[in-house]
Amino acid sequence: MWDNPSFRCLLAIAFLHLLSLIYSRETGFPEAPGNLKCVTHDLNRMICSWDATSSANLGLTYKICYTNSEPFSPVCIETEGKRADIPVAVGSTNIQITTLNASGTPLATETFVLPEENVSLIPLTPQILNLSADFSTYTLYLKWNDSGSVFPHELDASWQIEILRKETMETVTLMNYDSKLTGKDTILFWNWTSDVPLECTSYYVKIRCYINEPYFTGRKEWSKWSPIRTVPEKDTKPNSAMIFPQDKVVLVGSNVTFCCLYNEGESVKFMNYGSESYPLLHLSKWSSAIKVQNVSASIPSGTNVWCSLVPDGLEGTVLFVGYAPDTPQNLNCETRTFITITCSWNPGRPTALYRQRQTKYILFERISRENVTCKVDELNKKHHCDFPVHANQKIYNFTLGASNPLGQAESSLLIDVNQRVHLETPDKFTVSTNSSTDAHLSWYIPGNFIKIRLLCQIEISNSNSERQLQNVSMAGAENSNYRARVDSLHPYGTYTFRVRCSASEHFWRWSKWSEGKKLATLEAPPVRGPDIWRERSPVGETLTVFWKPLLLSEANGIILSHEVSCYLRETMLKAHEVPVPLNSTDIKLGGNDCLISVIAKNRAGSSPPSRITTVDLPSDNVKTELAIATGNGIYISWHSDPNVTCGYTLKWCISSGSEPCSVDWEMFPSNATDAVIKSALFQPGVRYNFSLYGCKHNGYQLLQNLTGYMKELPPKVAPNFTVEETSSDSILVKWEDIPVEDCQGFLKGYILYFAKGEKGSSKTSFMEEGSPELTVKNITDLTKKSLRILDLQGKTSYRLDLRAYTVGGIGPSKDLYVVTKENSVGLIIAILIPVAVAVVLGVVTSILCYQKREWIKETFYPDIPNPENSKALQFQKNICEGNTALKTLEMNPCTPNSVEVVETRSTVLKIEDTEIISPVANSELPEDGSDPETGSHVVVSYCPPIIEEEISSPPIDEPVGSSQVIYIDIQSMYQPQVNPEEEPEINFVTTAGYKPQMQLPINTRKMESHSPTEEDLDKTAGYRPQANTNVWKLDTPDSPVSIQSNNENGSFGSPCSINSRQFLIPPKDYEDSPTPNNTGWSFTHFFQNKPND
């Protein structure tokens, strides 16, 4: 391989290239350009820069060739620096950068594909044109150029403005400001108000820009910050200690910062606002501050603020806190004299600012271009200002401006002065008269009203406070008196007059009323005669004439007297004058009729006569009807009578009383059919009687009587009632009528309450609503005067309460206590019912006890039998012969039914069961299973077996103990008769009857050598023998085992009684063994029948 020339040539070339690279690095040849970055400031051209580091790059240049798309040929430029200005293209731009040496030889070339997304849009650094400050308002004013001309079209621009404190370079605020770039340079303005006085510290201001081009897909970035500008003239330390702001006026609720400036070597000890100290804030080495939140309105002299300095010094200022002026409310402009126009308004909310800081008002008229400064009192709620009237001007356009240090407001009004006339109050008002119906008035109004007419209103008030208005129109004059005449007044009347005026053609407002003036007119004759009525005496000889006084409006003066005359066919028979205050007189007629005339007289003359005839027409079947109370009067109605030609007269008086009734009457026209009678004399609860007369051509006729109340009330007293009769279940109550004067209304009925109750019980509980004991009866038949109360209980106390009622309510009550009589029938029934119940229960109990008598006897009174007298073991004579009387366990010889010998044992005998069947068991019995003779139970006789073989004595050496035990079954005495086919399985432990047992000492030798002791007897099982076994001898005929014994008294003894199924003395071996307990009884046995019952 090494001999191959081609391989050796390739190695040489590679080695030379490696040496060239090493040499180029050592001699400083540049690398290929990289890290290309392009930035545009105007979206038209972009500045691209790149990196090409080398240790010696003198004389190097760069050739940049760029193209936007393939069809176009590339554009190449050369530059000595590592940046180039090329146009911005839509989409991507291909850029090739070649590094050239001084002779123009390419050293390195790099090609870039620059998409639009990789181009950054960074606006040019903005420049602040001007920065100024308004120290009175803490406001900075900023001005700069937006450089909009560098962009080809309109764009949205955002500006960030940062304000910093100079000494600490602390950012105070960072604000955003938006503008629109229009393609040309525009000066922008911005202001900022500080919460700290500008005198307290110096401020820096800088800005930067951001262009928002929605169609540019490249990166958009903020421009660089502009050069910092400083607030002019405040970048130095203070010359002397001061506190800012000085005498500031602020709005209520503002947050205010106070700063204290001090010299070198001084410091702030504390700062106070009012009487309160606040924590210090360090602003710079020359100033400290406090911040007061939400200040409230100050007093008129302001709130003091001071700063205490160390080592010694005190500086202060005053803060005024209030409100901006409110918009003038209810602005109104009008003229009173046509000389000046007065504008008034309500200032609205108080500003809490006074003296030189109070609100100032200027009234400006736009047509004449004149203004007037208004002097107002800030404490007055109503402000006004005058403006002069111009001779040839009718329309006025006013603007009222209000201003104070915190703000300003205004209100406008356009008026026609001829339509805004508000006259002054009429002055020098006088009233006079020389007639009974007329009055003359005169008054004065200041002002020049020649060009308009006036409308004046006269108020007339009489003594009854009745008010009447009269309008009078008249021509205007200049500072003149005005006159008017008032007629149609009432004679002898007292009147009060007032007057007010306004413009007639264009009414705006009335002037104020003038002062009132009183006037009394002269008297005149009465306008009519008095209302009259007459009453004849019961005899008819005397006629009483009544008349009513005329009203003041009818009398036209003071009535002095009344003249009463009597005429017969136009001829005066009698006449006399009656002075006031009498309103009646008597005339002697002597049974004749005449025409009565009455005339009223005053100083001015006489009234027309009032006439009435004395003729009374007969009346038949006059009915009395009830009137209806209305609460303030009495409603009365009647049927129209065609024969009545001159009206109706209704007369009334009080229905009861010791004195004669006071007559009153009222007249109605002929077409009237009803009326509501009202009188000041009417009283509630008083009955009035009315009589209706019809006036006919030949006299008066009584048409109807009525009675009624103005207002019905409850009865004044309770009805008087008594109990007339009582029985065991009823009470008869009677009552009397209530007197008319105590009814106070028409009775509608009675209410009777009754319930059980003792005397002295509470009336409230008795009348308690919903009580089950209370019974109420409503008696609406007023003709009834008694009531029988039924369905009561005998010998019981009842409380009765009776009340009367009207439409006006229920009257008082009267109560009685009554005790009903004793009910004998009920007593008898109450005695008989328990007796009958007891008898029935006794009979039923007796019947049940009779039917269950055997069960009761066995349960409660069991017999303890005597074995010698017991019939339970008696045997029939056909079984045991030779005995005249059956005895218990007779030893007569007889053949047993069956005998079973179980086994032979030792001397200790064992008891075995041996069943002995009664011979009568197979005999026929009645169907009910009872004994035909006794009818109660079967008696089974017992016969001991006949032992024919003699028992020999056993050898001595053999065990002695052979014995025999016999059981006798007598359970048939207690068991019911069963069907032979159904043989029940018998448990002898629980159902065995009487089983006598005995241990027989068979060995004589044994018996002689051993006599039983008490201890031995205790050891014997079962029942102790009832005979002395020591005298028994087996070989004697009297022995119980002897077959020749005729001893009737021989007995084995019995271990149990005849009637009992339990052992009386249980064996020792069975004491701990469970035994059946059949001695108990249950109540259900009482209702169960036994077969033998």
Side-chain angles (χ1 to χ4, degrees), residues 891 945 947 1000 1002 1033-1036 1038-1043 1052:
M891 303 300 295
I947 304 174
L1000 299 179
I1002 304 300
K1033 294 182 179 180
L1034 300 178
D1035 57 350
T1036 61
D1038 295 333
S1039 175
V1041 299
S1042 178
I1043 61 175
F1052 284 113

Side-chain angles (χ1 to χ4, degrees), residues 564-579:
V564 182
S565 305
C566 180
Y567 291 88
L568 181 60
R569 295 188 185 93
E570 303 298 331
T571 302
M572 181 186 295
L573 300 180
K574 295 180 181 180
H576 64 280
E577 194 165 316
V578 180

Side-chain angles (χ1 to χ4, degrees), residues 91-117:
S92 60
T93 303
N94 298 322
I95 300 176
Q96 186 183 54
I97 303 176
T98 302
T99 304
L100 303 176
N101 58 17
S103 61
T105 303
L107 299 179
T109 300
E110 187 69 32
T111 301
F112 302 92
V113 178
L114 180 66
E116 186 180 357
E117 289 80 3

Side-chain angles (χ1 to χ4, degrees), residues 375-437:
K375 296 181 180 180
V376 298
D377 184 3
E378 188 67 26
L379 299 177
N380 192 354
K381 294 183 179 181
K382 192 72 172 178
H383 297 171
H384 61 85
C385 186
D386 292 335
F387 189 86
V389 174
H390 299 290
N392 298 323
Q393 184 176 350
K394 293 173 54 178
I395 305 301
Y396 294 83
N397 188 0
F398 292 107
T399 298
L400 179 66
S403 63
N404 69 7
L406 297 178
Q408 58 187 8
E410 64 179 27
S411 181
S412 299
L413 180 66
L414 180 68
I415 67 168
D416 182 347
V417 69
N418 291 336
Q419 299 178 6
R420 294 292 185 107
V421 179
H422 185 191
L423 301 180
E424 295 284 355
T425 303
D427 193 15
K428 303 176 183 179
F429 181 55
T430 60
V431 180
S432 61
T433 183
N434 55 4
S435 170
S436 61
T437 58

Side-chain angles (χ1 to χ4, degrees), residues 98-294:
T98 302
T99 304
L100 303 176
N101 58 17
S103 61
T105 303
L107 299 179
T109 300
E110 187 69 32
T111 301
F112 302 92
V113 178
L114 180 66
E116 186 180 357
E117 289 80 3
N118 291 342
V119 179
S120 298
L121 173 60
I122 302 176
L124 295 173
T125 303
Q127 299 294 323
I128 298 176
L129 300 179
N130 183 36
L131 177 64
S132 60
D134 184 352
F135 294 97
S136 63
T137 61
Y138 312 161
T139 304
L140 292 178
Y141 296 95
L142 184 65
K143 184 171 65 172
W144 73 96
N145 191 339
D146 67 354
S147 301
S149 60
V150 301
F151 294 98
H153 52 272
E154 289 188 357
L155 294 174
D156 292 329
S158 296
W159 307 85
Q160 264 191 357
I161 307 168
E162 186 176 14
I163 300 177
L164 307 96
R165 289 196 178 97
K166 179 179 177 182
E167 182 178 347
T168 61
M169 296 302 292
E170 173 190 356
T171 298
V172 178
T173 184
L174 181 65
M175 305 290 292
N176 289 329
Y177 179 80
D178 295 329
S179 67
K180 179 78 71 174
L181 302 182
T182 61
K184 59 181 180 180
D185 293 343
T186 303
I187 304 300
L188 300 181
F189 298 91
W190 179 84
N191 62 78
W192 170 76
T193 301
S194 172
D195 58 345
V196 178
L198 299 181
E199 297 91 344
C200 297
T201 184
S202 299
Y203 291 95
Y204 288 137
V205 180
K206 61 181 180 178
I207 63 175
R208 64 178 178 174
C209 180
Y210 177 88
I211 304 299
N212 183 18
E213 169 55 79
Y215 301 105
F216 178 72
T217 59
R219 294 187 297 271
K220 306 179 187 72
E221 299 179 12
W222 285 97
S223 70
K224 295 181 180 180
W225 286 103
S226 67
I228 292 178
R229 294 292 297 268
T230 306
V231 177
E233 299 180 0
K234 290 299 177 184
D235 196 15
T236 58
K237 63 180 182 180
N239 297 324
S240 60
M242 295 184 68
I243 187 168
F244 293 98
Q246 289 286 326
D247 298 337
K248 183 73 173 178
V249 181
V250 297
L251 285 171
V252 172
S254 300
N255 300 328
V256 184
T257 300
F258 300 92
C259 71
C260 184
L261 303 182
Y262 45 90
N263 298 319
E264 186 175 358
E266 294 180 335
S267 63
V268 178
K269 184 177 181 181
F270 62 84
M271 292 183 67
N272 277 22
Y273 175 78
S275 59
E276 187 175 355
S277 179
Y278 286 81
L280 294 174
L281 304 175
H282 180 71
L283 298 180
S284 68
K285 61 182 179 180
W286 311 112
S287 64
S288 295
I290 60 171
K291 183 173 289 187
V292 182
Q293 304 284 341
N294 193 19

Side-chain angles (χ1 to χ4, degrees), residues 790-1017:
L790 303 175
D791 301 327
L792 304 179
Q793 296 181 7
K795 204 173 182 180
T796 303
S797 177
Y798 285 90
R799 180 173 180 173
L800 308 180
D801 188 297
L802 184 64
R803 303 182 179 190
Y805 67 92
T806 65
V807 174
I810 302 175
S813 64
K814 180 179 181 181
D815 51 3
L816 293 176
Y817 291 90
V818 182
V819 180
T820 56
K821 296 181 179 180
E822 188 174 0
N823 190 352
S824 58
V825 177
L827 180 62
I828 294 172
I829 293 175
I831 295 174
L832 289 179
I833 289 177
V835 172
V837 171
V839 170
V840 171
L841 292 176
V843 171
V844 172
T845 304
S846 300
I847 294 172
L848 294 175
C849 291
Y850 179 75
Q851 291 180 352
K852 303 295 179 179
R853 62 187 181 279
E854 291 299 333
W855 175 82
I856 295 174
K857 181 178 179 182
E858 292 177 4
T859 304
F860 297 101
Y861 302 101
D863 294 335
I864 301 176
N866 187 351
E868 296 180 356
N869 299 327
S870 176
K871 296 180 180 182
L873 299 177
Q874 289 183 353
F875 301 96
Q876 298 180 2
K877 293 181 179 183
N878 56 358
I879 299 176
C880 300
E881 296 178 355
N883 292 325
T884 61
L886 293 176
K887 299 292 182 66
T888 302
L889 299 177
E890 286 184 324
M891 303 300 295
N892 295 330
C894 63
T895 302
N897 293 66
S898 64
V899 176
E900 179 180 1
V901 178
V902 178
E903 63 182 345
T904 301
R905 291 187 179 181
S906 62
T907 59
V908 181
L909 301 179
K910 181 181 178 181
I911 300 174
E912 297 290 344
D913 289 346
T914 302
E915 180 181 4
I916 299 179
I917 301 174
S918 176
V920 301
N922 297 327
S923 62
E924 295 182 359
L925 297 175
E927 295 180 358
D928 57 357
S930 62
D931 192 345
E933 294 180 2
T934 64
S936 62
H937 63 277
V938 178
V939 179
V940 178
S941 299
Y942 169 75
C943 294
I946 300 175
I947 304 174
E948 296 180 354
E949 297 182 5
E950 184 177 356
I951 304 173
S952 63
S953 300
I956 297 174
D957 55 351
E958 293 179 2
V960 179
S962 177
S963 62
Q964 184 179 12
V965 179
I966 300 172
Y967 285 87
I968 301 175
D969 186 6
I970 59 175
Q971 64 181 348
S972 60
M973 297 173 59
Y974 303 96
Q975 298 296 331
Q977 191 70 22
V978 299
N979 192 343
E981 298 177 357
E982 301 175 358
E983 296 181 3
E985 182 179 354
I986 301 172
N987 187 346
F988 290 99
V989 177
T990 60
T991 62
Y994 178 34
K995 300 178 180 181
Q997 63 184 20
M998 183 177 177
Q999 181 175 339
L1000 299 179
I1002 304 300
N1003 194 323
T1004 307
R1005 182 178 175 180
K1006 181 79 175 174
M1007 294 175 61
E1008 290 177 356
S1009 64
H1010 178 76
S1011 63
T1013 63
E1014 290 297 322
E1015 182 179 356
D1016 296 333
L1017 293 176

